Amino acid sequence: MSGIQLNELQALDIWRRAIVASVRADAPDLSARQMALLLSVYLTPPPHTVRGLAQLMKVSKPAITRAVNRLTELELVRRKTDEADRRSVFIQRTVRGSVFLREYGELIVSAALGETEGSSDGLPPRY
Amino acid sequence: MSGIQLNELQALDIWRRAIVASVRADAPDLSARQMALLLSVYLTPPPHTVRGLAQLMKVSKPAITRAVNRLTELELVRRKTDEADRRSVFIQRTVRGSVFLREYGELIVSAALGETEGSSDGLPPRY
DNA sequence: CGCTATTGTTTCGCTAGCGTAATCTCTAGG
DNA sequence: CCTAGAGATTACGCTAGCGAAACAATAGCG
């Protein structure tokens, strides 16, 4: 039909397809916080600092440090100290992170297309 | 207005807004596996067993057991043994889980509307 | 300089989650 | 009955992550 009539149930179902596909593909099992951080770094304008991300996500700075540690191990982001103020640390993108998120986006789009094609009927059982 | 031109970047940005809002709202910090399980239980037709979910998500059965433990503590799902075959355990929905996912869906829809309606200002209204 | 404020990390004690292997419980077939 | 096997959980040793508090490093101002 015309496009995605994005009601809540369809939105959830798209998300279900995408995240199940991601888990099946053995992608790293990121927590919501880690994913929020990753997406923020890639999709909002830099610079991104620990302090800024902590405020954005309303979590403690150590929580950001730990999430960055994890994402750095996975090479999805990297640290770069701000030379203008050496107390600050910038969280930056990496090639691997770009690839990861690109594929993630494709997953969501595929899930959305699968959703709209055909299955206009079955709103899954009552809810 | 009829639908969302869902390219990868927009998809990711919608997801970013939704998950950041969720984290800010202090929602439980579920992992991708846990979220995949939760969505599968609510959006695909029952019955859902440990074995079936393990196959669906391509993870080990103990991993499913642990995820169900966690989601049960949060009262987002519950266990029910199959009386016809008492080895099996059904993973079922709960009222709290329905509410949780409903709100989650609203979050995504809000994020999508914010995305398409060009309210590119700061954060969407906080949740 | 000295002092205070800011920024990020580390430490502490603890909980959650991992994969593999073992175990428990139940079913079904002979 | 009894046994083979299926389904789920538990045990084990380990890693990751938590919040709160302490810490280290740097900035900036008097």
Side-chain angles (χ1 to χ4, degrees):
Chain A
M1 294 297 284
S2 58
I4 296 172
Q5 180 78 18
L6 197 62
N7 64 37
E8 289 145 28
L9 224 59
Q10 286 175 328
L12 286 176
D13 202 48
I14 291 169
W15 183 235
R16 174 186 65 80
R17 291 162 185 263
I19 197 165
V20 167
S22 172
V23 170
R24 285 181 65 89
D26 214 28
D29 190 30
L30 301 182
S31 70
R33 287 184 176 188
Q34 291 165 347
M35 197 63 186
L37 195 157
L38 185 62
L39 287 167
S40 295
V41 167
Y42 277 80
L43 298 178
T44 65
H48 304 285
T49 63
V50 173
R51 173 106 177 126
L53 291 167
Q55 281 181 316
L56 174 69
M57 299 166 53
K58 273 198 190 166
V59 299
S60 69
K61 287 189 297 175
I64 299 294
T65 291
R66 283 186 293 255
V68 171
N69 286 346
R70 171 79 168 127
L71 296 175
T72 297
E73 284 170 14
L74 295 170
E75 291 182 77
L76 298 180
V77 303
R78 63 175 168 167
R79 286 183 167 91
K80 178 80 169 55
T81 60
D82 177 2
E83 290 303 328
D85 180 349
R86 301 183 50 79
R87 290 172 302 180
S88 272
V89 170
F90 295 144
I91 315 301
Q92 300 181 323
R93 307 177 210 183
T94 62
V95 171
R96 185 186 291 269
S98 299
V99 171
F100 177 80
L101 282 191
R102 167 107 41 94
E103 291 174 353
Y104 214 85
E106 288 171 3
L107 225 55
I108 300 176
V109 171
S110 299
L113 295 179
E115 158 69 37
T116 51
E117 284 172 7
S119 66
S120 59
D121 52 43
L123 286 195
R126 57 170 165 191
Y127 174 51
Chain B
M1 188 65 73
S2 60
I4 294 169
Q5 178 77 18
L6 198 62
N7 66 37
E8 290 146 28
L9 222 60
Q10 286 174 329
L12 286 176
D13 202 49
I14 291 168
W15 182 237
R16 175 186 64 81
R17 291 162 183 264
I19 197 166
V20 167
S22 172
V23 170
R24 285 180 65 89
D26 215 28
D29 191 31
L30 301 182
S31 70
R33 286 184 178 188
Q34 291 165 347
M35 197 63 187
L37 194 157
L38 185 63
L39 287 166
S40 294
V41 167
Y42 278 79
L43 298 178
T44 66
H48 304 285
T49 63
V50 173
R51 173 103 176 128
L53 291 166
Q55 280 181 316
L56 175 67
M57 298 167 53
K58 273 198 191 167
V59 299
S60 69
K61 287 190 293 177
I64 299 295
T65 292
R66 283 185 294 254
V68 171
N69 286 346
R70 172 78 168 128
L71 295 175
T72 298
E73 284 170 15
L74 295 170
E75 292 182 78
L76 298 179
V77 302
R78 64 176 168 170
R79 286 183 166 91
K80 179 79 169 54
T81 61
D82 176 3
E83 290 303 328
D85 180 349
R86 300 184 49 79
R87 290 173 300 179
S88 272
V89 171
F90 294 144
I91 315 302
Q92 299 181 324
R93 305 183 253 210
T94 63
V95 171
R96 185 184 292 269
S98 299
V99 171
F100 177 80
L101 281 191
R102 168 107 40 93
E103 292 174 353
Y104 213 85
E106 289 171 3
L107 224 56
I108 300 177
V109 171
S110 299
L113 295 179
E115 159 70 37
T116 52
E117 284 174 3
S119 75
S120 58
D121 52 39
L123 294 175
R126 61 178 163 176
Y127 289 104

